[in-house]
Amino acid sequence: METEFTELSGAEDLLESFPLHRACRDGDLCTLAGLLGEAVVSVCDASAQDPLFGWTPAHWAAHNGKVECLEMLVKAGLPCDIATHGTGLTLAHVAALEGQTACLAWLSKNGISINAQDHMGETAAHKAVRCGSVECLHILNQHGADLSLQSSIGSTVIDLAVQNHQRQCIEYFKAGGDSHLTNHMTCMNGRRKRMQTGEEALLDMDSAKRLKVESGRACITVIPCV
């Protein structure tokens, strides 16, 4: 899923000042190889964050599924687990959010922090669920993702799947016999029963009040004036 730069005023002009970022966004291997081969380009340049989204060249590559660009950047010395300042987005977060399975699979085999959490406390697995990508979720799960980790608002990956009605992700958890999903559904069912019981109790109280009022009215004796 490519970013809609046409909707961002001045984005093209801005990225003109960041040729590494632009090359990784476009998957321009020739330009990237030339830039990385220049003496003036260092690892610091390769890890520089643009003022548009605060992304490094590698984030652009992961976002747009450019595995070859990632390979070249890492070979040049860029770490795989680099994160953005402030938001804490890793390459895995960005790849999972865009459903970039090839990039995520490559990253998972090359030293990423699989359970790194961003400023929202979300892991790459949370982003995979937001995207609705069972493939990304499976890749992360196979490489040791901790599905019990909670975001800053207390949501696990399974909570997020249920809250966002991501049925394919929920079915994936069910198929794996995930105990967290079983516990979640048990809690949800218990909550529904408690709510239903509470509603029934309120209805019973309301009915009792109405009956009492009606009974009181029936007992009133009207004494005519003489």
Side-chain angles (χ1 to χ4, degrees), residues 3-105:
T3 301
E4 294 292 340
F5 284 98
T6 54
E7 297 178 3
L8 300 171
S9 178
E12 289 293 339
D13 293 336
L14 182 61
L15 286 183
E16 285 289 351
S17 303
F18 293 84
L20 279 173
H21 296 69
R22 189 184 182 94
C24 288
R25 184 201 71 179
D26 298 338
D28 187 345
L29 299 178
C30 291
T31 299
L32 181 59
L35 290 168
L36 291 175
E38 294 177 5
V40 293
V41 175
S42 65
V43 175
C44 291
D45 295 310
S47 61
Q49 299 186 14
D50 66 56
L52 190 60
F53 293 119
W55 286 0
T56 67
H59 282 84
W60 283 106
H63 177 271
N64 289 328
K66 310 301 183 183
V67 180
E68 295 87 352
C69 291
L70 286 177
E71 292 174 344
M72 292 176 68
L73 289 167
V74 171
K75 189 176 181 180
L78 187 75
C80 279
D81 59 353
I82 189 170
T84 58
H85 301 315
T87 58
L89 285 173
T90 65
L91 305 184
H93 281 113
V94 175
L97 189 57
E98 291 299 313
Q100 300 291 2
T101 54
C103 279
L104 193 59

